[in-house]
């Protein structure tokens, strides 16, 4: 029998996260205070995040211990299996071996709890009583709800209203895990009331939801805010994916030629790829590909510049690939990839030619996603489809070149609560969205006002 | 660190199914032809099932080889993890260790594919081109759709209309895996047209759907019918669950005092428990509990008698615990437990005092299911809640008695596409359904016309 899955025993789970800030070829530009234009210090962030997470955010230690309290919760589903996609390989008929890390085995079905559990733990240790956050399609909100429940913290989630109404399942997960989930814009904050006064039927946006979550959080001195992607400490917590994958590949005597993940804010992609990026920095010949939507092509078409992380300009200025903080991504079903920016760590590694971006249209990603489900069984999330599209592209290239390749990608989550998007695909309602060159010009203007990284 | 999960490597997966017909203390009564009153032979079943599965249905061989072609598909998610529920144990504060087999890791999220893959394989080998089946809430239909897609078979599923309309996600899984899913009653069969003529708004029932699937199948000589529970060969295919669990328990030096599963038609319960029932038959002191809904209490209140498997009386007469083939179960959310009968193998083992039934009300099962989700993370299906209710009862009994106990149960599936039922629970819309004594009298009258087993 061919081996399909490589398990790690629980005692083989990584005990430290990998911090790539220790290995960067050149130093990263710091986040800037938008008022002073100077680097933000820990004190600037203290009202927003607990100090222990702020310390992680700026740490340059290569290895950071994973606390026992975090590990024992991660063990509810980790180590996740490394799988080989024999059936999908057969369909492609190319000289490639395709391995994937199945992050869909977590309770909410994605990689998000890897950092949610860590953030809830550090907040608990710090003394936080309640965590506020925002969520788009609900992957992050559901993961944080579960993590808060596990550590006895309250949790309040501002969920973009259009998703709140149209995607009830992840909202119901939050309820099941005991969180309060509010549609945004809401009448509970000034930011929300202002939007509602202008447009009572506003569908909301991630930018508005962030503003509401932060505003509401600041009224409660025992509360802190939490973000599910983009920031350094979030990417750090996700590196357990790649560290496990390295151990699993080693067990079967393999090493990837290509490492792939889909990228919205960058956390699942970073989680798998950063430990391999370390190898590349130290001379390993390996290709690392971030797959993004053609309608939100942060890495492939957005400038590398200082920009705000949110619409309301409440965050520090971050050095990143961005389409402008006021960019409104098209309503693609891969909700987790609808973000105007990209994690500074990923953006910096693209600048250093360690990582490359690739963009795929919505229809081509669903096409390969359905092929995957029909050969491998497991139904991928629409975000994950993007990674599969990059896998197919690499496989076809290997076939043309007649070269054998080992491909490893992050299967970031399952699509069981995203099946309405499959319905749209099968009924021919799904479309591609082009990004006009005009939008890129607009982004250049937006970021033109800020310092250059 | 405490060990939470016990994995089996793929080369440790069981290579044979266990057939308890070889170890029954007394012989089972045979299925009867309703016309002649005589035992049905293989030829009677040949128009319905492929001969290789009919042979399995009547086999008394103790061990039956699992074909390589089946194993290689099962390896897409099997062996499933054996997990220990430390957090739930802590909540209960009782002297028990709670282990569970997580069958939610399969692509559709339940144990159903264990037999779907085997049945699709044997049909393929036999030469079947298309498989017909019915489904209630959709667990079985989705599992069979996936299995048929894997072996290049066509699949047509008659889905009870009320579920087809109200529970779109499992219907969308079937579509994703390439099956045709038709709401039942439909205008495609005489049985369906007859019902629609009487009541154009009929919500449908499993009984009607079975009749339609069989009628439609019989018009196509290259087609066969498939059933997801109740029959001997279905239970046989599920025994891989218990055989894996035995190896996993052995690895950690444990053996259960109590084995628990929820029971509708009986297949997930049998899957875990039959290998342990074998040990009990050979003298092991162990309790085996089938947890069923109080509103559909087949084992705890229904007579053991000959009865039809479906409303339209198209099946042979089966010796089983039954509430009467015309019994209409209350609309509980655990759709997989809404069946009037119980697998003959399970019914026979209850008669032999190897297995006992217990009934739980809908509200108490949701109460413990939510507690589970909030401690262990993974959200259980409403069917699985029933097993958890039995676990809690056993744990509380151990506490009262001051005895230490090892409990093992089958976590038959996750509830991610059943979250609407959680919504009903949290909003106070969920109710209990009492079964009036009158219904039991009616069942006695129904089965009174047939021979006694």
């Amino acid at each position: 029998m061919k081996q399909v899955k490589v398990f790690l025993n629980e005692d083989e789970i990584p005990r430290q996260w990998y911090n790539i800030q220790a290995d960067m070829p050149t130093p990263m530009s710091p986040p800037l205070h938008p008022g002073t234009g100077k680097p933000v210090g820990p004190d600037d962030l203290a009202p927003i995040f607990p100090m222990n997470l702020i310390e992680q955010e700026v740490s340059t230690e290569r290895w950071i211990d994973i606390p026992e309290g975090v590990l024992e919760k991660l063990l509810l589903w980790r180590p996740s299996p490394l799988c080989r996609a024999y059936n999908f390989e057969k369909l492609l008929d190319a000289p490639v071996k395709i391995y994937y890390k199945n992050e869909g085995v977590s309770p909410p079905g994605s990689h998000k709890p890897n950092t949610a559990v860590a953030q809830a733990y550090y907040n608990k240790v710090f003394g936080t009583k309640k965590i506020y956050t925002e969520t788009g399609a609900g992957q992050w909100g559901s993961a944080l709800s579960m993590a808060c429940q596990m550590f006895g913290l309250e949790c309040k989630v501002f969920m973009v209203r259009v998703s709140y109404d149209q995607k009830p399942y992840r909202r119901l997960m939050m309820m099941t895990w005991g969180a309060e989930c509010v549609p945004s814009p809401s009448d509970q904050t000034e930011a929300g009331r202002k939007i509602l006064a202008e447009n009572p039927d506003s569908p909301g946006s991630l930018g508005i939801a962030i503003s509401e979550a932060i505003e509401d959080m600041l009224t409660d001195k025992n509360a802190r805010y939490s973000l599910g992607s983009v920031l350094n400490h979030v990417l750090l917590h996700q590196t357990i994916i790649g560290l496990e994958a390295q151990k699993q590949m080693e067990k079967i005597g393999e090493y990837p030629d290509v490492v792939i993940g889909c990228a919205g804010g960058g956390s699942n992609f970073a989680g798998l790829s950063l430990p391999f990026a370390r190898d590349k920095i130290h001379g390993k010949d390996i290709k690392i590909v971030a797959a993004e939507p053609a309608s939100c092509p942060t890495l492939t078409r957005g400038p590398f510049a200082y920009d705000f992380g949110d619409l309301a300009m409440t965050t520090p200025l971050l050095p990143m690939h961005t389409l402008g903080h006021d960019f409104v991504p098209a309503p693609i079903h891969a909700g987790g990839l609808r973000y105007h920016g990209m994690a500074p760590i990923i953006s910096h590694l693209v600048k250093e030619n360690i990582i490359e971006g690739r963009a795929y249209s919505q229809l081509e990603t669903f096409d390969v996603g359905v092929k995957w489900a029909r050969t491998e069984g497991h139904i991928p999330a629409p975000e994950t489809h993007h990674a599969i599209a990059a896998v197919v592209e690499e496989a076809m290239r290997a076939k043309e070149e007649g070269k054998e390749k080992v491909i490893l990608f992050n299967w970031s989550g399952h699509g069981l609560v995203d099946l309405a998007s499959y319905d749209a695909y099968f009924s021919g309602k799904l479309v591609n969205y082009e990004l006009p060159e005009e939008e890129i010009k607009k982004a250049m203007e937006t970021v033109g006002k800020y310092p250059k990284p």
Side-chain angles (χ1 to χ4, degrees), chain A:
Chain A
M1 296 293 296
K2 296 170 187 168
Q3 185 172 10
V4 178
K5 299 180 301 302
V6 185
F7 289 118
L8 288 182
N9 289 321
E10 294 190 348
D11 56 13
E12 297 173 292
I13 198 169
R15 301 298 177 124
Q16 297 178 308
W17 291 300
Y18 167 61
N19 182 8
I20 199 162
Q21 294 189 71
D23 287 307
M24 281 291 187
T26 58
M28 290 172 66
S29 304
L32 300 183
H33 191 290
T36 64
K38 291 192 178 145
V40 294
D43 289 348
D44 295 314
L45 300 171
I48 313 280
F49 299 109
M51 194 49 77
N52 46 15
L53 284 176
I54 295 171
E55 283 162 10
Q56 278 192 352
E57 182 68 17
V58 299
S59 170
T60 54
E61 288 293 314
R62 182 169 290 110
W63 298 103
I64 295 179
D65 287 346
I66 308 178
E68 292 276 303
V70 172
L71 276 175
E72 74 178 29
K73 298 302 180 194
L74 294 182
L75 286 178
L76 290 172
W77 70 94
R78 302 205 74 84
S80 70
L82 176 80
C83 311
R84 180 155 171 202
Y86 284 106
N87 301 291
F88 195 64
E89 285 175 14
K90 195 174 166 194
L91 180 79
L92 297 182
D93 190 27
V96 294
K97 295 179 187 172
I98 300 172
Y99 292 95
Y100 69 99
K101 195 68 174 146
N102 184 354
E103 291 295 305
V105 297
S106 79
S110 81
H111 65 289
K112 288 288 186 193
N114 296 330
T115 183
V117 164
Q119 291 192 49
Y121 171 86
Y122 283 108
N123 269 286
K124 179 76 179 181
V125 168
F126 177 74
T128 305
K129 302 293 181 208
K130 184 168 181 174
I131 300 183
Y132 288 72
T133 198
E134 73 291 327
T135 198
Q139 281 283 23
W140 170 241
S142 56
L144 189 66
S145 301
M146 180 188 78
C148 285
Q149 175 65 237
M150 286 175 171
F151 290 104
L153 298 170
E154 285 183 80
C155 182
K156 183 168 179 177
V157 183
F158 286 87
M159 185 171 186
V160 175
R161 181 180 288 274
V162 60
S163 295
Y164 184 94
D165 291 336
Q166 291 177 2
K167 301 185 175 180
Y169 278 57
R170 290 215 176 84
R171 166 167 64 79
L172 293 171
M173 281 188 216
M174 297 181 222
M175 187 194 278
T176 301
W177 285 315
E180 183 186 358
C181 178
V182 179
S184 165
S186 77
D187 60 4
Q188 302 189 13
T189 68
E190 206 167 311
R193 286 188 293 270
K194 189 168 160 241
I195 302 279
L196 288 175
E198 287 164 14
N199 178 10
D201 299 323
S202 166
S205 76
L206 214 46
I208 299 167
I210 295 178
S211 305
E212 287 203 270
I214 294 180
E215 181 189 328
D216 203 12
M217 179 271 295
L218 288 172
T219 64
D220 178 351
K221 70 175 171 43
N222 292 318
R224 286 296 182 277
Y225 170 72
S226 171
L227 203 63
S229 191
V230 179
L231 299 181
N232 301 343
H233 69 278
V234 180
L235 273 55
L236 175 80
H237 300 154
Q238 293 292 356
T239 58
I240 193 167
I241 301 172
L243 295 167
E244 282 180 8
Q246 286 185 326
K247 286 192 181 195
Q248 287 162 315
M249 294 294 274
E250 200 184 322
K251 275 199 176 191
I252 50 170
E254 292 275 23
Y255 191 89
D257 298 299
V258 191
V259 174
I260 293 170
C262 62
S267 78
N268 97 77
F269 168 70
L272 178 66
S273 67
L274 293 186
F276 292 97
R278 180 186 183 219
D279 292 350
K280 184 167 182 173
I281 289 168
H282 293 107
K284 199 92 184 174
D285 180 21
I286 176 176
K287 193 189 289 187
I288 305 177
V289 178
E292 60 183 14
S295 58
C296 191
T298 324
L299 288 176
T300 48
R301 294 179 65 193
F304 180 67
Y306 269 112
D307 195 8
F308 290 100
D310 69 321
L311 179 68
M313 304 189 286
T314 50
T315 71
L317 284 165
L318 299 171
M320 61 182 180
H321 277 274
T322 175
L323 296 164
H325 62 266
D326 52 357
F327 174 73
V328 181
I332 54 169
H333 284 275
L337 307 184
R338 295 179 69 240
Y339 184 64
H340 70 275
M342 180 58 68
I345 283 177
I346 301 302
S347 299
H348 191 75
L349 288 168
V350 168
K351 195 181 131 202
E352 297 288 339
N353 294 314
I354 304 295
I355 285 170
E356 60 189 279
R358 302 249 188 93
Y360 300 94
S361 73
Q362 178 156 259
L363 284 170
E364 72 182 308
T365 62
F366 268 85
D367 188 47
V368 297
V370 168
K371 287 196 172 94
W372 180 277
R374 290 186 176 182
T375 49
E376 293 293 323
H378 297 283
I379 297 178
E383 291 83 0
T384 312
H385 291 174
H386 291 72
I388 299 172
V391 169
V392 172
E393 188 178 27
E394 283 296 323
M396 291 303 111
R397 196 169 292 176
K399 197 172 179 173
E400 276 170 33
E401 295 172 356
K403 275 188 197 161
E404 292 187 0
K405 266 186 212 169
V406 175
I407 301 173
L408 168 66
F409 80 101
N410 200 12
W411 205 86
S412 56
H414 66 65
L416 295 183
V417 292
D418 302 295
L419 282 167
S421 64
Y422 280 76
D423 198 14
Y425 171 72
F426 286 118
S427 58
K429 288 180 196 145
L430 222 61
V431 296
N432 285 336
Y433 299 94
E434 299 298 323
L435 188 77
E437 196 56 38
E438 197 54 34
E439 289 281 355
I440 304 299
K441 278 185 202 153
K442 215 181 107 196
M444 300 296 282
E445 279 166 33
T446 302
V447 301
K449 302 166 209 158
Y450 315 129
K452 304 269 171 263

